[in-house]
Amino acid sequence: MTKFFRRGSRSSMVVIGGSSHPDLTALIARRVGVKQGKVELGKFKNGETKVELLENVREKDIYILQTGGVHSNDAVVELLLLINACKLASAASITLITPYYPYSKSDQKSSVRSPIASKLVANMIQGAGAKHIMMLDPHSPQLVGFFDIPVDSLKVEPLFCTWIKHNIPDWRHYTVVAPDEGGAKRSTMIANYLELDFAMIHNRHKKSLNARKISRDYLMRSPSPEQEEEDSTDELDNDSEILRLTNKIVERMLKISGDVKDKNCILVDDMIDTGSTVRLALDILQSHGARKVYIFAAHGIFSGDSIQILNQSNILEKVIVTNSIPQTESKSLLGDMLDVVDISGIISEYIRRCHYNESVSVLTDVGSEFDAKDELLQSLVREENGHLRQQEVRRGGRLGQMRKGYRLESVCWDN
């Protein structure tokens, strides 16, 4: 019972951020209504990571924000040290907020002798002392099963649906496209909610390339030193040319279910990393007669030649990502083509609900159930405001009103 009453106050809430995304941490702390926890982050002279808490966290509820995709190795070590520092400082609870889970693409063995890095990171996070974790739109649902502690996986589809309604005038005539079989579920969520047509690209191109490369390397003789040097200088060119489409490849390896001819498309994926999947999708859509394409991705990593790939597309209208990863550099390179959706609202609302032991399922709903819960919450807010107004009028005091920052409408879906 003591813990219940203690959680009724924001004074027991502390929001701490690592060095991976300080801007997002500041936004979340301001929206939640608490000061950002003071922590010293840096490096020792020998290159090891330095972490030190600069304020008391005894019996406090700690929320640590650290995202991957930006110097992931340093981010993971820094995160583990932050968790352990809070644990040794007698924190009551430690909740990890990781918008982009580090090493999320390594969720299975890519070869016989490769590790499962996502599972290893999960074990280290639990061993350091984390008791709860939140991740935003993970690369695959199985990441949740790597943990023995509660995991909440939030979705960004409601934010994307709102962006589409507000920024695409003729969005009702668009077709939602999944770039491969893995993105079909997330694409159908948006298509069903907006009641749009759906199409899916069946991508066998990259898998066939890998198979042919292994067979070719096995059959070929060992190259001479001169040939090795020449191959190493042309490595980047080969990587970019290997995904070039031909009519034969389009007919055999890339199929599309659904009609996109003379239509505008909304391409939905979980992330844009090297840009290979996006490039293949744009090429196949262009070859099938698509007009304009909007790309939506929860995480914009933009590594390798991805920026160049996006800039060279003739049918690409805009790229929309979230600020789960800092996008300052990408914004300067892509300019007006890139639009960033703010996720600080949905994360701050998650923290508030988690702190006050409220349900977070409304933050993951897309569709009629989401609309019903959102409308129900707004009606409850109006009803509560009415009661407060009547009480204050009777007392002759100042008119009272519920705090705006605690409404789902204003916190999670404000632009």
Side-chain angles (χ1 to χ4, degrees):
M1 186 63 69
T2 303
K3 185 177 181 180
F4 175 80
F5 285 110
R6 178 180 61 80
R7 279 180 171 266
S9 172
R10 283 182 296 155
S11 61
S12 62
M13 185 190 307
V14 179
V15 177
I16 296 176
S19 60
S20 61
H21 206 336
D23 294 338
L24 182 60
T25 305
L27 285 173
I28 291 173
R30 184 166 67 249
R31 282 180 175 267
V32 172
V34 299
K35 292 184 178 180
Q36 186 175 338
K38 297 180 181 179
V39 58
E40 181 181 355
L41 304 172
K43 294 281 189 179
F44 291 106
K45 292 184 178 180
N46 62 355
E48 295 178 350
T49 302
K50 177 183 180 181
V51 170
E52 182 180 358
L53 302 177
L54 302 180
E55 63 179 64
N56 179 29
V57 297
R58 183 179 295 273
E59 292 301 316
K60 298 290 185 67
D61 297 314
I62 311 299
Y63 298 88
I64 301 176
L65 188 138
Q66 185 82 311
T67 188
V70 182
H71 306 294
S72 295
N73 294 335
D74 291 337
V76 170
V77 174
E78 186 178 84
L79 172 61
L80 297 176
L81 295 179
L82 278 171
I83 295 174
N84 191 249
C86 294
K87 178 182 178 181
L88 297 179
S90 302
S93 66
I94 302 173
T95 301
L96 170 61
I97 309 295
T98 171
Y100 176 70
Y101 184 77
Y103 288 95
S104 60
K105 296 181 71 174
S106 180
D107 55 1
Q108 58 185 339
K109 298 184 69 173
S110 58
S111 63
V112 178
R113 302 179 184 87
S114 62
I116 305 178
S118 295
K119 174 61 176 175
L120 179 60
V121 173
N123 292 339
M124 292 190 295
I125 289 174
Q126 293 176 106
K131 299 301 181 184
H132 199 167
I133 184 171
M134 185 229 82
M135 58 182 68
L136 187 72
D137 207 351
H139 181 62
S140 61
Q142 66 200 48
L143 286 178
V144 176
F146 290 165
F147 292 87
D148 296 325
I149 58 177
V151 179
D152 291 315
S153 176
L154 304 188
K155 301 294 183 182
V156 298
E157 281 77 9
L159 303 179
F160 286 163
C161 291
T162 301
W163 192 97
I164 292 172
K165 290 181 176 180
H166 291 170
N167 296 276
I168 303 180
D170 55 343
W171 60 270
R172 297 183 184 276
H173 303 288
Y174 276 64
T175 299
V176 180
V177 180
D180 49 32
E181 292 82 353
K185 184 176 181 180
R186 113 178 9 93
S187 301
T188 52
M189 283 185 184
I190 295 180
N192 293 339
Y193 175 67
L194 298 177
E195 298 181 353
L196 301 178
D197 293 335
F198 173 75
M200 183 175 67
I201 298 173
H202 301 275
N203 187 352
R204 295 167 49 209
H205 182 42
K206 289 191 294 184
K207 292 183 179 180
S208 65
L209 282 174
N210 293 333
R212 292 201 302 270
K213 183 176 183 298
I214 294 174
S215 301
R216 185 174 63 252
D217 292 344
Y218 179 78
L219 295 175
M220 288 178 61
R221 295 180 301 174
S222 300
S224 61
E226 293 80 5
Q227 186 177 356
E228 287 183 352
E229 183 178 355
E230 182 180 355
D231 291 343
S232 62
T233 58
D234 296 338
E235 182 178 356
L236 292 177
D237 294 336
N238 292 335
D239 289 341
S240 59
E241 294 293 332
I242 198 171
L243 295 175
R244 176 176 294 176
L245 296 180
T246 62
N247 293 332
K248 186 177 180 180
I249 291 177
V250 170
E251 294 176 359
R252 294 185 55 189
M253 298 297 178
L254 292 171
K255 303 288 185 181
I256 185 167
S257 299
D259 183 21
V260 297
K261 186 176 182 179
D262 297 328
K263 292 186 178 180
N264 299 323
C265 300
I266 295 174
L267 188 67
V268 183
D269 206 355
D270 64 321
M271 69 175 69
I272 301 176
D273 191 356
T274 60
S276 59
T277 302
V278 170
R279 178 175 183 172
L280 289 172
L282 290 173
D283 287 345
I284 191 67
L285 288 175
Q286 186 173 7
S287 66
H288 280 73
R291 293 181 177 177
K292 295 190 299 185
V293 177
Y294 286 80
I295 298 179
F296 287 83
H299 313 291
I301 303 176
F302 299 115
S303 62
D305 299 329
S306 58
I307 300 293
Q308 182 181 0
I309 291 173
L310 296 174
N311 283 324
Q312 291 177 348
S313 176
N314 298 324
I315 61 174
L316 179 59
E317 187 74 13
K318 217 171 188 59
V319 179
I320 299 90
V321 299
T322 69
N323 58 341
S324 61
I325 298 172
Q327 300 296 337
T328 305
E329 182 179 356
S330 302
K331 184 67 175 178
S332 63
L333 296 174
L334 289 172
D336 295 336
M337 184 183 293
L338 179 65
D339 204 343
V340 181
V341 177
D342 184 22
I343 60 171
S344 62
I346 192 172
I347 294 180
S348 61
E349 179 66 10
Y350 169 83
I351 292 176
R352 188 197 68 81
R353 288 173 174 268
C354 184
H355 184 70
Y356 291 102
N357 299 316
E358 299 177 9
S359 173
V360 299
S361 61
V362 68
L363 302 179
T364 63
D365 292 330
V366 181
S368 58
E369 186 178 2
F370 158 74
D371 289 335
K373 289 186 177 181
D374 191 27
E375 180 61 32
L376 175 62
L377 180 61
Q378 294 182 36
S379 64
L380 292 175
V381 169
R382 290 192 294 267
E383 182 180 354
E384 183 65 21
N385 285 336
H387 291 322
L388 291 174
R389 186 179 294 105
Q390 293 177 3
Q391 293 176 5
E392 293 297 334
V393 170
R394 292 171 186 171
R395 296 174 185 172
R398 190 175 62 180
L399 187 65
Q401 189 175 8
M402 289 186 67
R403 181 179 175 181
K404 180 180 179 183
Y406 283 1
R407 295 210 307 268
L408 180 63
E409 179 188 24
S410 63
V411 171
C412 298
W413 280 272
D414 263 356
N415 291 327

